[in-house]
Amino acid sequence: DDGRARLEVTNTGIGIPEDALPQLFQEFYRAPNARAVEESGTGLGLAIVRHLVERWHGQVTVSSREGAGTTFRIEFACAVPAGV
């Protein structure tokens, strides 16, 4: 109704510590609890997601609770054809 498209993805994984959320979209950053569980990973995935979403004038946000999972939200403005 507000002319925006939203995509929300939620998991029930290990969650992200609150103090790690501000760095989450930085290149090569991996939350400490993620590094403790799994050694592999470059820390580039979320930085790439943010770059692509922002390039298309969108916004990506995250909410998480450690031990309870994480929700990522991506939002874009929709083009509405003239006369609709």
Side-chain angles (χ1 to χ4, degrees):
D1 290 341
D2 65 356
R4 302 195 63 76
R6 294 176 182 85
L7 171 67
E8 186 172 289
V9 177
T10 300
N11 68 38
T12 56
I14 63 173
I16 302 164
E18 188 173 338
D19 61 339
L21 291 173
Q23 295 88 17
L24 196 60
F25 294 98
Q26 293 178 3
E27 293 178 354
F28 305 110
Y29 180 79
R30 294 185 66 219
N33 63 334
R35 289 192 311 263
V37 172
E38 173 109 23
E39 288 184 28
S40 65
T42 62
L44 288 174
L46 291 175
I48 292 169
V49 167
R50 187 180 84 182
H51 173 78
L52 291 171
V53 168
E54 289 179 353
R55 182 176 176 104
W56 290 96
H57 308 288
Q59 181 180 14
V60 60
T61 58
V62 60
S63 59
S64 187
R65 200 173 79 207
E66 193 169 6
T70 304
T71 299
F72 289 92
R73 292 174 194 85
I74 297 174
E75 190 170 310
F76 294 101
C78 295
V80 179
V84 175

